């Protein structure tokens, strides 16, 4: 019984880690996109 619980716990932890990595990737991608938009907007204001 204990092995079964540990296996489920490890599988859940692995799943959570993968989802966390996805979230971090999306956050950084969003920040990069916002930085590019801000750069374009700044250049447009100077012109």
């Amino acid at each position: 019984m204990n092995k079964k619980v540990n296996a489920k716990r490890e599988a859940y932890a692995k799943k959570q880690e993968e989802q966390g990595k996805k979230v971090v990737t999306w956050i950084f991608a969003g920040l990069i996109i916002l930085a590019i938009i801000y750069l374009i907007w700044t250049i447009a204001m100077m012109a």
Side-chain angles (χ1 to χ4, degrees):
M1 180 90 168
N2 195 14
K3 289 181 182 180
K4 194 175 191 180
V5 171
N6 283 340
K8 282 186 179 182
R9 189 175 291 157
E10 287 176 13
Y12 180 75
K14 186 176 180 183
K15 185 178 175 184
Q16 287 292 98
E17 183 180 352
E18 289 173 2
Q19 287 178 343
K21 286 180 182 179
K22 278 185 182 180
V23 169
V24 169
T25 302
W26 278 104
I27 289 171
F28 278 116
L31 288 173
I32 291 170
I33 290 170
L34 287 174
I36 292 170
I37 291 171
Y38 180 72
L39 180 67
I40 292 169
W41 179 75
T42 303
I43 292 170
M45 288 290 134
M46 289 182 162

